[in-house]
Amino acid sequence: MAQNDQTPWSEEQVDLAIIRDVLMMNFTLSGGALDAKPGPLGVGRADALNARTQQYLEAVGILDELLPLGIKCNSDFKSRQSHWWTSLQHCFRPNFLMIGQPVVEQVLSNHLEVPVCYGEKVISVSETEYGVTVDTDRGGKVRSKYAIAADGARSTVRPVLDISFTGTKPEIVWTVLDTFIDADFPLCSEIITFHLNGRSRVSWIPRERGMARFYVLLDGEITQRRAEDSIREHMAPHRVDFVRTEWFSTFDVKERIASTIVSKQGTGRIILAGDATHVHSVNGGQGLNTGIADAFALTWLIAAAVNNAVLSPSAATKFRSYDTERRTVAQEVIDVAATAHTAKQYVSTIEKNAGYIIGMGVSYDGLGSELISERYPDIWITRIGDDEAIRLYSTISYGKYLVLFLGEQDPQTLFRNISTYFILCPDSVGRNEVKGHSNGTSGRIDTFSSDVVTAEDNFVVIVRLDMYIGYVGEGDGWKGKGYLEQLYAT
């Protein structure tokens, strides 16, 4: 469990230095997190976990802690603009989980196996061919093999690395209120966008604890009173009274993206993540979700570089996939982010770009990444000899590749220490035993049936640790001189 410490860091040698929190559970790494804030976040900030983020957090084993602390949103539709949710395939939770960022950060921190040191600001960072040195304003010095800079849009690390942070869109100022209201407007578990005078400038989002979040786009002077007046105007003729406001803030957003997110143009040991890499409109809850996706896409690569003595010589170039994949996706998120439209245009934009908002449509295939991939579906599978169907994501051992043999195969487990192996058969197999393989005992491979597998299927799928497909092919292409040996020596 992470310890929240106010004691300055003395000189220390670790595997990974984290500037702000980042997801790194289930990996054996020494390290620590530096956070310039005086303490854990108390109120406000991000408010939703999308469908893909919920899959990530289930994989690392903490979603069950978060579910009772939030509420489902966009799960029980009253509106007609719902098919972009209800049409999702192989997604067990096609909804937002509305939950405050402070709660999410606390649960994540409780599972970190490294200390989080608050009130310690990085003043310099440097790297060599062999490692990174981080100095803080309290006299701390950390030497690490790698460093992750997730220190926000005003990152102190990014300019030190001479990484540009440019944007093409004008500044947009959103007003945000987390508030408790007394209103006669019908309650709804959906996100509501109000249309007035040809524009949509107010959104109402249900929150946990009976709270409401409002996003308001104002012209001219920005005050809480003007934001509340705009909400009343948009909700008229319904009555709304503001009982207690827990948080009022503004997001002054100029959408930007870093020119690179790995130092030394993709070959270095300092990696950017989250808002230090990309900032965009608050619409769609993209900030927290893309940040968690960055962490999920990055930490398994760092862990592989640090922990595996059998890492192949060509692996270093493969790890540049993080820059290729996440920076391209960030640019696409920026390109599709909605600003101020009519209600009809707003809904059309949301539907068109739902894959990014939900997180389920993000794909790295075709981006030129060395580890090209698209999301692996959360399919239902049934263990041979058992009647109970389970979801594939519920079986995952986070921290390992998932190697799936479909059809008649002669499975070999050359990378057993870093992989989990399953055989998938058509449903027609039923309860029959598959010759030579049963229920994973005595070193054998678990065998399942699924209705997505056909009798004609005969190939191997390798799922990366971030739950994207890394390889699909027939025969022995996954081993020998194939996919895994590009990263690991046998």
Side-chain angles (χ1 to χ4, degrees), residues 258-289:
S259 58
T260 182
I261 53 181
V262 180
S263 62
K264 295 186 176 180
Q265 295 301 312
T267 65
R269 292 175 172 267
I270 305 171
I271 306 102
L272 305 180
D275 286 353
T277 302
H278 43 74
V279 293
H280 31 67
S281 170
V282 296
N283 284 315
Q286 295 294 328
L288 177 61
N289 290 285

Side-chain angles (χ1 to χ4, degrees), residues 169 172 174 199-200 217 255 281 283 336-341 346 349:
K169 291 188 177 182
I172 304 166
W174 284 93
R199 302 186 75 184
S200 298
L217 194 59
E255 295 171 328
S281 170
N283 284 315
V336 305
T339 55
H341 301 280
Y346 183 84
T349 300

Side-chain angles (χ1 to χ4, degrees), residues 225-270:
R225 177 63 180 271
R226 288 197 66 221
E228 292 174 354
D229 288 344
S230 180
I231 293 167
R232 290 190 180 97
E233 183 181 14
H234 280 76
M235 293 179 66
H238 295 280
R239 174 187 59 82
V240 56
D241 296 319
F242 294 89
V243 177
R244 179 172 65 87
T245 296
E246 186 171 279
W247 184 62
F248 170 78
S249 187
T250 61
F251 285 97
D252 186 358
V253 178
K254 185 174 183 180
E255 295 171 328
R256 300 178 180 180
I257 187 168
S259 58
T260 182
I261 53 181
V262 180
S263 62
K264 295 186 176 180
Q265 295 301 312
T267 65
R269 292 175 172 267
I270 305 171

